[in-house]
Amino acid sequence: MKQQRKSIIVLMALLLMFATVLSACSKSTTDNNNSPNSTSSETPAKKPITLRMTVWGAPEEVAAYKVAIQRFEAKYTNIKVDLQHIAADYDTKLTTMVAGNDVPDIAMMESGTIAFPLAEQGKFYNLQQFLDNDSEISVDSLVPNIMYSLEPGNVIGIAPGPESFGLFYNEDIFKEAGIAPPPSKVSEAWTWDEFVEVAKKLTIDTKGKSANEAGFDAKNIKQYGINISTWWGVYSNFVYSNGGDFVSADGKSFALNQPEAVEAIQKMSDLMNVHHVAPSPVQAKNIPSTNVALQTKKVAMAIDGQWASTGLAQSKFNFNVGVMPVLKEPVTTVVCGMFSIFKSTEHPQEAWELLKALLDPEASIDMITAGTWMPSYKDWYTEPALLAKWTENLDSRPSGYKDAIVDVILTKSHQTPTGYVKNFTKIMDIVNPALDKVWLGQQTAQEAMDSIAAKAQEQVQGRRDIE
Amino acid sequence: MRKGLFYGLLFTAPAILGFIIFTLGPMIASLVLSLTDYNVFKDQTSFIGFDNYVKMFSGEDDLFYKSLGVTFYFVILRVPAVIILSFFIALLLNMNVKGRAMFRTIIYLPSIVPAVASAMIWMWLMNPDLGLINSVLNWLHLPTSNWLYSEGSVIPSVVLTTLWGIGSTVIIFLAGLSGIPKQYYEAIDVDGGGWYNKLRHITIPMVTPTIFFNTIMTIIGSFQVFNEAYILTEGGPNNKSLFYVFYLWRTGFRDTEMGYASALAWILFIIIMFFTFIVFKTSKSWVHYEGGERS
């Protein structure tokens, strides 16, 4: 009996501990959302609020967000921003949060994954409303193609910065070979054939023979003329440049099997399998990242996003950037993440102010000068003083940068297919396996795209950029 | 007696509650969800009966059959390989040689390396141009392979990478081997039998319960292969390594079709149950228990 009472006391004590722990937990959550005893605070007019925000990204990027948040919190003393950095499996985590009704106020989103599925269910604010009523920011003040719309007039996200593609190269290789480097002005851009010719001259086997010489050994290549990766971000540049698209202009049919797109894809595959001037996807596994590959002369040129500038600048060698070869029209695809505001937020106006603070190039100036990001405001490209701030006297911005990247993105940019092709992910689930065979040279682009055209067509649901 | 029951329940409560809350509950929930069109992002969920299952088997979703085929191929290659290899390694480790503890440690060590780390190592080893494996084959003038990067060799290559982590299976075999009484071997020595007779008539019959256990665990583990597709191949090339669980995960978390993913999960559950059942059924004829037939 005595024994039993003692154990009951122990149990009670345990229960009490549990209760305190639990109440402590719930208390802290209520503190976050408008605690009632805030009436005694210094700013009686405005209640203190907390905005929750989720992002992914490298530590430097998170540091840039923190700078933006500090500036924002200094301006709005009643607002605290709770920044959650989700380094891996971002979409999985966010999906779980949505399923559990534990949604952030503002979130970084990727257009190619769950952003549009969420938007289709009405989970995001239409940012057009905010843009219309804001005196500091408007659609025209932003760089083209950095807004994502569910349909015309329904903006679901704005990118903190655009990203475009360029032709990066090692200047020393060109000097030693006595070849003129890639032009940086769009008006002088190489045609595809000119590009292939140069790439051949710069592709060298282990015996020192280049790809346009007799006896060239394609199996033992020491230096590739060009490295070109095979994800849609890269080949979309050439599909658009050739007048092709992923879906037809009316959004009704699958278009990667059309002549313009097929030709562009075939030309890329030929670089690997016919001309042997670019590593195939299998060989590309040996090619280090662009900065190392160019520095160590494993490749002479590389088509990559402008974000590669950071690594290149840190590598300390003579690199430069030119415009990509042009098929019919010079085009660069703009890819970027976006900030979206969840409809469930209790403070939409404050979230919008935060979004603006995050877009401010001044706040992320470190990332911009380091080379990873580009500003999202147009005047940073057109006002000489502002432009100089992030393009002059910087390791990350070589001499060709202004012409090859800045000019091109302002005048020749195309929206990423993820932004306007409905059901893009599902279409690509069908396209990508077929393209595997094209990159490996087992099928022509025409055969591969025709073989899956009917299945891809079933997944085509239209375009977001037309009514 | 009642007091004993009370304490018994009290102390097993964490395990029981854990099972109910984190295993049984979600299982029932997923069974119910598999009969709905639940999409995480949609506010409305409606009951659609067996439509998800019909979609699977009617061929409307051809990736279902594809991923199932890929997974079966993997299981068929991997299970015998794991069982045979780990049995022989265990035999070797059970011998009385110098440095036995060290060998045992070496064999077991890969099992504690995180899956992601070992996957990265294998990606380097299997690199077609610079990888160690092809370099050695080249040096020996043997044919090389594209390993993970071509359609034909991707599944055997993945099997190869998983064989690296058989340490725990070996440990279980070792336990089974060391449970065999020495007298039996001595009896064969007296009768003048060699190592083959020992293996054939004593070792193998005596470890059949261990083989049985390991086979079941390996079958279950092989059907649930995920990390390899997630890290090594992403299902490619040309969907040739689109493992079932990877496809299930993609459906649930990338496409947020949780209802359909739940249905996929239940089909996998049934498949695993079926094969486990088959192995159990046949076990009566080949598993030897020392205490006689197990009822």
Side-chain angles (χ1 to χ4, degrees):
Chain A
M1 194 58 206
K2 213 175 175 186
Q3 194 71 40
Q4 191 147 11
R5 181 172 288 170
K6 208 172 179 183
S7 65
I8 286 170
I9 289 166
V10 171
L11 243 169
M12 292 277 280
L14 271 171
L15 266 173
L16 263 171
M17 265 170 65
F18 250 107
T20 32
V21 169
L22 280 175
S23 66
C25 287
S26 58
K27 202 174 172 187
S28 68
T29 46
T30 47
D31 270 351
N32 275 338
N33 303 332
N34 281 331
S35 72
N37 36 354
S38 59
T39 38
S40 61
S41 75
E42 297 140 85
T43 46
K46 283 178 177 173
K47 277 203 274 182
I49 58 174
T50 301
L51 288 173
R52 212 147 61 94
M53 168 178 173
T54 54
V55 296
W56 69 79
E60 308 91 72
E61 294 175 67
V62 177
Y65 297 135
K66 282 189 179 149
V67 172
I69 288 169
Q70 266 173 16
R71 290 164 57 104
F72 174 75
E73 285 177 340
K75 195 169 161 195
Y76 300 93
T77 46
N78 63 319
I79 307 177
K80 239 185 73 55
V81 179
D82 173 15
L83 178 74
Q84 292 188 345
H85 177 224
I86 303 168
D89 289 326
Y90 185 87
D91 288 350
T92 309
K93 171 85 172 146
L94 209 68
T95 305
T96 319
M97 286 166 82
V98 172
N101 274 330
D102 175 36
V103 186
D105 298 290
I106 179 168
M108 185 104 200
M109 301 298 307
E110 169 73 59
S111 60
T113 60
I114 60 172
F116 283 108
L118 276 168
E120 277 160 7
Q121 298 306 319
K123 301 281 187 200
F124 294 141
Y125 265 100
N126 179 357
L127 302 180
Q128 188 71 48
Q129 303 160 8
F130 297 100
L131 283 165
D132 290 343
N133 300 322
D134 204 294
S135 55
E136 295 168 34
I137 179 174
S138 71
V139 175
D140 290 330
S141 64
L142 295 167
V143 180
N145 294 316
I146 62 167
M147 290 194 322
Y148 292 91
S149 301
L150 186 60
E151 63 219 359
N154 186 351
V155 178
I156 60 156
I158 303 178
E163 289 291 356
S164 66
F165 293 87
L167 183 61
F168 292 89
Y169 62 95
N170 181 329
E171 283 188 319
D172 294 341
I173 294 179
F174 280 85
K175 252 180 227 155
E176 285 157 21
I179 299 169
S184 58
K185 286 203 167 22
V186 180
S187 54
E188 298 159 11
W190 279 339
T191 63
W192 191 267
D193 291 337
E194 287 170 337
F195 166 64
V196 172
E197 267 324 296
V198 173
K200 276 185 180 170
K201 283 182 201 157
L202 295 174
T203 302
I204 295 160
D205 68 11
T206 43
K207 296 205 178 75
K209 282 203 156 66
S210 65
N212 53 356
E213 283 179 275
F216 167 73
D217 179 7
K219 287 229 161 76
N220 290 297
I221 293 171
K222 195 179 72 187
Q223 172 183 297
Y224 285 99
I226 176 79
N227 188 22
I228 187 164
S229 86
T230 52
W231 66 291
W232 56 259
V234 172
Y235 67 73
S236 67
N237 285 292
F238 301 109
V239 169
Y240 295 141
S241 177
N242 208 29
D245 205 333
F246 290 72
V247 290
S248 61
D250 62 2
K252 287 192 178 130
S253 51
F254 176 66
L256 279 181
N257 63 339
Q258 296 303 306
E260 298 85 5
V262 163
E263 191 190 2
I265 293 168
Q266 188 62 50
K267 279 188 151 66
M268 265 179 69
S269 164
D270 287 350
L271 290 178
M272 302 159 196
N273 301 301
V274 175
H275 308 304
H276 303 290
V277 296
S280 73
V282 173
Q283 291 157 336
K285 307 271 177 196
N286 300 328
I287 306 288
S289 58
T290 294
N291 56 330
V292 182
L294 287 177
Q295 185 181 25
T296 57
K297 301 187 178 175
K298 262 199 105 59
V299 298
M301 303 179 276
I303 287 174
D304 204 339
Q306 80 84 30
W307 57 82
S309 309
T310 310
L312 287 162
Q314 285 163 356
S315 293
K316 304 281 178 215
F317 70 102
N318 293 324
F319 81 97
N320 210 331
V321 60
V323 283
M324 290 180 289
V326 171
L327 289 164
K328 283 181 190 152
E329 280 290 313
V331 177
T332 184
T333 305
V334 174
V335 294
C336 40
M338 64 175 117
F339 287 117
S340 298
I341 299 175
F342 274 93
K343 225 170 209 166
S344 53
T345 180
E346 288 169 25
H347 317 287
Q349 198 56 45
E350 288 81 356
W352 169 251
E353 294 299 330
L354 174 59
L355 191 153
K356 272 170 36 188
L358 290 162
L359 295 188
D360 186 357
E362 288 288 359
S364 46
I365 192 73
D366 285 349
M367 285 303 285
I368 292 171
T369 53
T372 313
W373 286 353
M374 295 171 82
S376 48
Y377 283 100
K378 226 185 240 169
D379 52 2
W380 281 66
Y381 295 73
T382 51
E383 302 265 338
L386 288 173
L387 182 62
K389 259 189 183 176
W390 65 282
T391 56
E392 277 170 20
N393 302 322
L394 292 167
D395 288 344
S396 57
R397 310 300 187 194
S399 61
Y401 188 80
K402 264 194 213 172
D403 289 330
I405 303 287
V406 176
D407 271 5
V408 176
I409 200 169
L410 265 192
T411 55
K412 309 287 180 196
S413 74
H414 193 293
Q415 199 184 15
T416 162
T418 54
Y420 68 87
V421 178
K422 286 187 183 167
N423 213 21
F424 183 77
T425 322
K426 283 293 178 70
I427 296 174
M428 287 330 243
D429 277 350
I430 296 163
V431 170
N432 285 334
L435 282 178
D436 281 349
K437 292 185 173 171
V438 179
W439 308 133
L440 294 170
Q442 294 162 350
Q443 276 190 347
T444 66
Q446 191 71 58
E447 283 166 1
M449 289 299 99
D450 281 344
S451 72
I452 50 107
K455 253 174 76 188
Q457 180 63 44
E458 284 173 26
Q459 298 294 338
V460 172
Q461 291 174 358
R463 294 171 72 112
R464 301 185 189 282
D465 52 356
I466 50 173
E467 292 284 354
Chain B
M1 190 55 212
R2 280 192 58 92
K3 209 169 126 188
L5 182 71
F6 170 77
Y7 282 115
L9 285 176
L10 181 70
F11 287 120
T12 50
I16 293 171
L17 282 177
F19 173 74
I20 291 172
I21 296 169
F22 296 112
T23 305
L24 192 64
M27 274 181 80
I28 292 167
S30 90
L31 185 60
V32 174
L33 287 175
S34 77
L35 304 173
T36 69
D37 63 353
Y38 177 50
N39 179 322
V40 182
F41 298 159
K42 284 193 183 130
D43 292 327
Q44 283 217 327
T45 298
S46 45
F47 187 78
I48 55 166
F50 288 98
D51 281 7
N52 282 331
Y53 295 95
V54 171
K55 184 181 166 191
M56 261 180 242
F57 290 105
S58 67
E60 188 189 331
D61 174 18
D62 52 1
L63 288 181
F64 167 70
Y65 285 112
K66 183 137 202 173
S67 60
L68 212 52
V70 166
T71 309
F72 269 108
Y73 180 34
F74 178 77
V75 171
I76 289 165
L77 280 188
R78 180 169 185 254
V79 175
V82 167
I83 298 300
I84 293 167
L85 190 69
S86 52
F87 177 64
F88 279 101
I89 291 176
L91 276 183
L92 292 175
L93 292 182
N94 199 37
M95 289 191 306
N96 223 343
V97 290
K98 236 187 180 171
R100 193 168 69 161
M102 190 186 73
F103 288 122
R104 288 182 175 188
T105 313
I106 289 171
I107 291 292
Y108 188 70
L109 219 50
S111 305
I112 44 176
V113 175
V116 179
S118 71
M120 294 303 290
I121 293 168
W122 278 100
M123 270 165 91
W124 291 328
L125 289 175
M126 288 189 166
N127 189 300
D129 287 349
L130 294 178
L132 182 69
I133 300 179
N134 271 1
S135 301
V136 170
L137 288 175
N138 254 330
W139 185 64
L140 296 170
H141 297 286
L142 290 169
T144 57
S145 163
N146 276 340
W147 304 108
L148 293 166
Y149 307 109
S150 86
E151 291 184 32
S153 59
V154 60
I155 294 290
S157 303
V158 174
V159 171
L160 207 60
T161 68
T162 64
L163 289 183
W164 202 52
I166 57 172
S168 47
T169 317
V170 173
I171 297 285
I172 296 167
F173 267 123
L174 265 176
L177 287 173
S178 52
I180 302 172
K182 291 269 184 297
Q183 301 92 300
Y184 293 173
Y185 293 116
E186 284 161 8
I188 293 226
D189 281 334
V190 170
D191 290 345
W195 66 268
Y196 174 76
N197 286 318
K198 286 181 184 168
L199 183 68
R200 170 74 186 77
H201 296 290
I202 294 176
T203 312
I204 291 180
M206 291 295 284
V207 292
T208 44
T210 319
I211 295 176
F212 172 61
F213 174 79
N214 276 336
T215 307
I216 286 185
M217 297 313 278
T218 311
I219 287 176
I220 295 174
S222 304
F223 270 113
Q224 295 177 336
V225 59
F226 171 78
N227 280 332
E228 283 69 16
Y230 187 64
I231 301 158
L232 286 178
T233 64
E234 290 173 46
N238 194 16
N239 284 338
K240 278 290 187 294
S241 65
L242 186 75
F243 290 115
Y244 193 87
V245 178
F246 180 68
Y247 177 53
L248 190 162
W249 170 84
R250 208 171 79 174
T251 310
F253 285 97
R254 196 199 67 185
D255 304 338
T256 66
E257 300 286 348
M258 285 290 176
Y260 188 60
S262 296
L264 285 170
W266 273 91
I267 292 299
L268 181 67
F269 178 73
I270 290 165
I271 291 171
I272 293 176
M273 284 291 280
F274 174 77
F275 281 96
T276 313
F277 176 77
I278 296 278
V279 177
F280 259 100
K281 270 284 165 201
T282 61
S283 72
K284 285 211 176 96
S285 61
W286 60 271
V287 176
H288 167 87
Y289 289 100
E290 217 178 339
E293 268 308 300
R294 200 183 55 155
S295 57

